[in-house]
PDB file of all heavy atoms in Angstrom:
ATOM      1  N   LEU A  17     -13.485   7.450  14.730  1.00 83.00           N
ATOM      2  CA  LEU A  17     -13.270   7.178  16.148  1.00 83.00           C
ATOM      3  C   LEU A  17     -13.494   8.443  16.969  1.00 83.00           C
ATOM      4  O   LEU A  17     -14.109   8.403  18.044  1.00 83.00           O
ATOM      5  CB  LEU A  17     -11.853   6.642  16.363  1.00 83.00           C
ATOM      6  CG  LEU A  17     -11.475   6.274  17.808  1.00 83.00           C
ATOM      7  CD1 LEU A  17     -12.427   5.218  18.353  1.00 83.00           C
ATOM      8  CD2 LEU A  17     -10.042   5.768  17.868  1.00 83.00           C
ATOM      9  N   LEU A  18     -13.015   9.576  16.457  1.00 79.00           N
ATOM     10  CA  LEU A  18     -13.227  10.849  17.136  1.00 79.00           C
ATOM     11  C   LEU A  18     -14.713  11.179  17.203  1.00 79.00           C
ATOM     12  O   LEU A  18     -15.219  11.637  18.236  1.00 79.00           O
ATOM     13  CB  LEU A  18     -12.476  11.949  16.390  1.00 79.00           C
ATOM     14  CG  LEU A  18     -12.497  13.353  17.019  1.00 79.00           C
ATOM     15  CD1 LEU A  18     -11.828  13.331  18.384  1.00 79.00           C
ATOM     16  CD2 LEU A  18     -11.796  14.343  16.104  1.00 79.00           C
ATOM     17  N   LEU A  21     -16.367   8.849  19.857  1.00 78.00           N
ATOM     18  CA  LEU A  21     -16.028   9.238  21.233  1.00 78.00           C
ATOM     19  C   LEU A  21     -16.732  10.532  21.632  1.00 78.00           C
ATOM     20  O   LEU A  21     -17.171  10.681  22.774  1.00 78.00           O
ATOM     21  CB  LEU A  21     -14.515   9.404  21.366  1.00 78.00           C
ATOM     22  CG  LEU A  21     -13.690   8.117  21.255  1.00 78.00           C
ATOM     23  CD1 LEU A  21     -12.211   8.434  21.318  1.00 78.00           C
ATOM     24  CD2 LEU A  21     -14.070   7.121  22.343  1.00 78.00           C
ATOM     25  N   ILE A  47      -4.434  13.767  19.158  1.00 83.00           N
ATOM     26  CA  ILE A  47      -4.083  12.357  18.940  1.00 83.00           C
ATOM     27  C   ILE A  47      -4.671  11.877  17.615  1.00 83.00           C
ATOM     28  O   ILE A  47      -4.008  11.161  16.849  1.00 83.00           O
ATOM     29  CB  ILE A  47      -4.590  11.486  20.101  1.00 83.00           C
ATOM     30  CG1 ILE A  47      -3.860  11.866  21.390  1.00 83.00           C
ATOM     31  CG2 ILE A  47      -4.368  10.009  19.799  1.00 83.00           C
ATOM     32  CD1 ILE A  47      -4.405  11.174  22.624  1.00 83.00           C
ATOM     33  N   ALA A  48      -5.921  12.281  17.329  1.00 80.00           N
ATOM     34  CA  ALA A  48      -6.557  11.871  16.068  1.00 80.00           C
ATOM     35  C   ALA A  48      -5.798  12.423  14.869  1.00 80.00           C
ATOM     36  O   ALA A  48      -5.630  11.740  13.853  1.00 80.00           O
ATOM     37  CB  ALA A  48      -8.007  12.345  16.046  1.00 80.00           C
ATOM     38  N   MET A  51      -2.578  10.541  14.459  1.00 80.00           N
ATOM     39  CA  MET A  51      -2.818   9.205  13.922  1.00 80.00           C
ATOM     40  C   MET A  51      -2.731   9.198  12.398  1.00 80.00           C
ATOM     41  O   MET A  51      -2.262   8.243  11.782  1.00 80.00           O
ATOM     42  CB  MET A  51      -4.195   8.690  14.362  1.00 80.00           C
ATOM     43  CG  MET A  51      -4.534   7.302  13.809  1.00 80.00           C
ATOM     44  SD  MET A  51      -6.267   6.851  14.044  1.00 80.00           S
ATOM     45  CE  MET A  51      -6.381   6.815  15.815  1.00 80.00           C
ATOM     46  N   PHE A  62      -2.469   4.635  18.927  1.00 82.00           N
ATOM     47  CA  PHE A  62      -3.265   5.861  18.896  1.00 82.00           C
ATOM     48  C   PHE A  62      -4.693   5.600  19.375  1.00 82.00           C
ATOM     49  O   PHE A  62      -5.273   6.412  20.106  1.00 82.00           O
ATOM     50  CB  PHE A  62      -3.297   6.437  17.478  1.00 82.00           C
ATOM     51  CG  PHE A  62      -2.017   7.084  17.055  1.00 82.00           C
ATOM     52  CD1 PHE A  62      -1.237   6.524  16.062  1.00 82.00           C
ATOM     53  CD2 PHE A  62      -1.568   8.248  17.669  1.00 82.00           C
ATOM     54  CE1 PHE A  62      -0.048   7.114  15.672  1.00 82.00           C
ATOM     55  CE2 PHE A  62      -0.386   8.854  17.279  1.00 82.00           C
ATOM     56  CZ  PHE A  62       0.386   8.280  16.276  1.00 82.00           C
ATOM     57  N   VAL A  63      -5.266   4.475  18.951  1.00 83.00           N
ATOM     58  CA  VAL A  63      -6.642   4.144  19.348  1.00 83.00           C
ATOM     59  C   VAL A  63      -6.742   3.997  20.859  1.00 83.00           C
ATOM     60  O   VAL A  63      -7.657   4.528  21.504  1.00 83.00           O
ATOM     61  CB  VAL A  63      -7.112   2.857  18.641  1.00 83.00           C
ATOM     62  CG1 VAL A  63      -8.455   2.404  19.209  1.00 83.00           C
ATOM     63  CG2 VAL A  63      -7.212   3.073  17.138  1.00 83.00           C
ATOM     64  N   VAL A  64      -5.790   3.282  21.444  1.00 86.00           N
ATOM     65  CA  VAL A  64      -5.779   3.104  22.907  1.00 86.00           C
ATOM     66  C   VAL A  64      -5.647   4.454  23.609  1.00 86.00           C
ATOM     67  O   VAL A  64      -6.337   4.737  24.597  1.00 86.00           O
ATOM     68  CB  VAL A  64      -4.641   2.156  23.331  1.00 86.00           C
ATOM     69  CG1 VAL A  64      -4.490   2.150  24.858  1.00 86.00           C
ATOM     70  CG2 VAL A  64      -4.897   0.745  22.825  1.00 86.00           C
ATOM     71  N   GLY A  65      -4.761   5.303  23.077  1.00 84.00           N
ATOM     72  CA  GLY A  65      -4.579   6.624  23.678  1.00 84.00           C
ATOM     73  C   GLY A  65      -5.846   7.455  23.646  1.00 84.00           C
ATOM     74  O   GLY A  65      -6.224   8.094  24.637  1.00 84.00           O
ATOM     75  N   MET A  66      -6.548   7.477  22.505  1.00 84.00           N
ATOM     76  CA  MET A  66      -7.783   8.249  22.388  1.00 84.00           C
ATOM     77  C   MET A  66      -8.854   7.721  23.330  1.00 84.00           C
ATOM     78  O   MET A  66      -9.575   8.486  23.978  1.00 84.00           O
ATOM     79  CB  MET A  66      -8.297   8.217  20.944  1.00 84.00           C
ATOM     80  CG  MET A  66      -7.435   8.994  19.967  1.00 84.00           C
ATOM     81  SD  MET A  66      -8.046   8.897  18.266  1.00 84.00           S
ATOM     82  CE  MET A  66      -9.604   9.785  18.418  1.00 84.00           C
ATOM     83  N   VAL A  67      -8.973   6.387  23.418  1.00 85.00           N
ATOM     84  CA  VAL A  67      -9.987   5.790  24.300  1.00 85.00           C
ATOM     85  C   VAL A  67      -9.700   6.127  25.761  1.00 85.00           C
ATOM     86  O   VAL A  67     -10.615   6.467  26.528  1.00 85.00           O
ATOM     87  CB  VAL A  67     -10.043   4.264  24.092  1.00 85.00           C
ATOM     88  CG1 VAL A  67     -10.925   3.610  25.158  1.00 85.00           C
ATOM     89  CG2 VAL A  67     -10.564   3.930  22.698  1.00 85.00           C
ATOM     90  N   LEU A  68      -8.423   6.066  26.156  1.00 85.00           N
ATOM     91  CA  LEU A  68      -8.064   6.392  27.539  1.00 85.00           C
ATOM     92  C   LEU A  68      -8.400   7.846  27.866  1.00 85.00           C
ATOM     93  O   LEU A  68      -8.955   8.148  28.928  1.00 85.00           O
ATOM     94  CB  LEU A  68      -6.574   6.135  27.767  1.00 85.00           C
ATOM     95  CG  LEU A  68      -6.148   4.672  27.900  1.00 85.00           C
ATOM     96  CD1 LEU A  68      -4.636   4.569  28.027  1.00 85.00           C
ATOM     97  CD2 LEU A  68      -6.830   4.011  29.090  1.00 85.00           C
ATOM     98  N   TRP A  69      -8.064   8.760  26.959  1.00 83.00           N
ATOM     99  CA  TRP A  69      -8.352  10.180  27.186  1.00 83.00           C
ATOM    100  C   TRP A  69      -9.852  10.452  27.212  1.00 83.00           C
ATOM    101  O   TRP A  69     -10.302  11.443  27.792  1.00 83.00           O
ATOM    102  CB  TRP A  69      -7.687  11.027  26.093  1.00 83.00           C
ATOM    103  CG  TRP A  69      -6.280  11.391  26.420  1.00 83.00           C
ATOM    104  CD1 TRP A  69      -5.151  10.689  26.101  1.00 83.00           C
ATOM    105  CD2 TRP A  69      -5.846  12.534  27.147  1.00 83.00           C
ATOM    106  NE1 TRP A  69      -4.042  11.319  26.580  1.00 83.00           N
ATOM    107  CE2 TRP A  69      -4.428  12.464  27.226  1.00 83.00           C
ATOM    108  CE3 TRP A  69      -6.488  13.609  27.738  1.00 83.00           C
ATOM    109  CZ2 TRP A  69      -3.671  13.430  27.876  1.00 83.00           C
ATOM    110  CZ3 TRP A  69      -5.729  14.584  28.379  1.00 83.00           C
ATOM    111  CH2 TRP A  69      -4.337  14.489  28.448  1.00 83.00           C
ATOM    112  N   ALA A  70     -10.654   9.593  26.587  1.00 82.00           N
ATOM    113  CA  ALA A  70     -12.112   9.759  26.611  1.00 82.00           C
ATOM    114  C   ALA A  70     -12.737   9.129  27.851  1.00 82.00           C
ATOM    115  O   ALA A  70     -13.692   9.661  28.421  1.00 82.00           O
ATOM    116  CB  ALA A  70     -12.730   9.153  25.353  1.00 82.00           C
TER     117      ALA A  70
END
Side-chain angles (χ1 to χ4, degrees):
L17 181 58
L18 184 62
L21 292 176
I47 295 173
M51 179 192 297
F62 286 112
V63 172
V64 171
M66 290 178 66
V67 171
L68 285 176
W69 273 91

